[in-house]
Amino acid sequence: MALGTAAEVGKSDPIITRLANEDKKRFYQKPNLLFLYLMLFPTCMGIELTSGFDSQMINALQIVDAWKLYFGNPQGSLKGIIAAAYSLGAILSLPFIPKINDRFGRRWSIFGGSIVMVIGALIQGFSQHVAMYIVARMILGFGIPTCIVSGSSLIGELAYPKERPIMTSLFNVSYFVGQIVAAAICFGTNGIKSDWAWRIPSLLQIGPSLLQISCVFFLPESPRWLISKDRTEEAHAILLKYHSEGDRGVEFVEAELAQMSATISLELEASKRSWADLFVTAGMRRRLLITTMLGLFTQWSGNTLISYYLGDLLALIGFSDSTYIQKINVSIACWSLFCGVTVSLLVVKIRRRVMYMACTISLLLCYIAWTVSMERAQTAADLFKAGLAATPNKAANIATLFFIYAYSPCYNMGYNALTYTYMVEVWPYAERSRGIAVFQLFGRLASFFTTFVNPIGLHDVGWKYLISYCCWLAFEVVFVYFMFPETFGRTLEELAFLFEDKALADQAVAAVEKTLHGNDDIVRRDSGKNGSVENKENVV
């Protein structure tokens, strides 16, 4: 048995997974399910548009002359706090998210968080000084985690089991769409010779939130949330509408509902619905450790250097033309989107641990090579500026750019495509909101730290700062190998007791089998009376 799977004792028999895989109808052949997925894109998947827009906007505005002039050309710690304020606001909101999510449901949480972000974007666009701009970014950050926790959960809890891994993996990909839009807008406004060069992008950050506010109530509520509130009939109606268009129809929905009801009932019996639940059992503590480290990994793997400080990186090797840097910004965002979508489509083919190991090892190798090329490029650039060299080291410059681009597919293999897919799978329903909130907490803490420290490190030690990331990435490889469980090929309920007693998983399986056998008996009796089973899907 693999080391990383040694403690996985509670995986249940994947009956629902097998039933879903037997359904040969594609999602686009199911009108209701197709409508559901189309609505998930602007509402839930569009949430990360805001984060992607924000990172690229701040990255791009730092090289806009009007922005630098208005705010006094921030450097060092001030530049760091402007970028990090978004994460700081997110950190402040996280203690309230689980209660809001559990009390009001997924849709109202998305709506409320979007309203907060609209307010933040308006203040940001009309800021009169740097303090106001920082506060506005904190308000934006305060609203985003509520939407992320609710949106990622809602995707996993509404999607048909067969497409659910792809849908949750695409959630994070919209980050790059936001980056592309922001990069294009900032590129377009770069030539404006007034404050509107930065005010227009700052105000347009309102866009994704308005989209969510407009569309979120076209989505149904999470069936699992409804079951937890003893509104099983409503949950049943939603599952019938969106999950019964397959080859086994109502029979599948009845089994799915039985699995959800039994699993959630078992979870809630053992849950006090408080933060203390995360520490009660060895299984919960392992989930908490994995979640904490994954939050750190997604932000301490060197990605914030590219997302927020590409201009500073390129300046170290002699690139200073703002138009050229803006073009690089746009191209990296487009390349990242391509990589993210491609990897997201592979999550139903490749096991989670394989993808995470490939991600961490390739990131380590990429960063080592990037550090070497950066050292050669920066050394040559410094000699050229000092008049001690005839030309910069063009080969090292090209190599540095190559590894910046090579970083994207490496990162996307695990830390983008799999992030929310894995979090939704690792955490059972009763603790899912708290679990993802913990992930957000440590991700935002890591983001706040790195966005604050990165400009200081680059300014003080240059290419040597990249060595710290190489060391951390080596630790990531070891941690993933020993601690990450395999969650591939099962529904959320089949993973609910992943680290717990197998008997609990077996109880949920028994509920599914009882439902399936009951339906078979009804069908056989109906067949005996009528000589036909044509009405099988109309019998509950």
Side-chain angles (χ1 to χ4, degrees), residues 48 51 83-94 97 141 144-145 148-149 172 175 288-304 308 411 415 419-420 423 434-452 454 469 472 476:
E48 281 288 5
S51 294
Y86 187 77
S87 295
L88 179 59
I91 292 166
L92 296 176
S93 74
L94 289 169
I97 291 174
I144 189 69
I148 289 176
V149 172
N172 234 12
Y175 180 94
L288 186 61
L289 177 61
I290 291 168
T291 300
T292 298
M293 298 312 296
L294 187 57
L296 298 178
F297 293 168
T298 57
Q299 300 301 322
W300 277 0
S301 297
N303 50 307
T304 52
Y308 286 90
Y411 183 87
Y415 294 148
T419 296
Y420 289 100
M423 286 292 92
R434 290 177 184 82
I436 299 178
V438 169
F439 167 78
Q440 279 285 303
L441 172 63
F442 281 88
R444 298 296 175 178
L445 285 170
S447 178
F448 175 80
F449 178 79
T450 55
T451 50
F452 181 76
N454 280 342
Y469 283 110
W472 178 257
E476 290 183 12

Side-chain angles (χ1 to χ4, degrees), residues 7-11 281-287 426 428 495-505:
E8 297 161 33
V9 297
K11 287 183 179 178
T281 65
M284 283 298 175
R285 290 191 292 272
R286 185 177 177 190
R287 288 185 179 95
V426 165
L495 292 166
F497 307 110
L498 180 64
F499 301 127
E500 278 77 31
D501 190 346
K502 186 70 163 61
L504 294 173

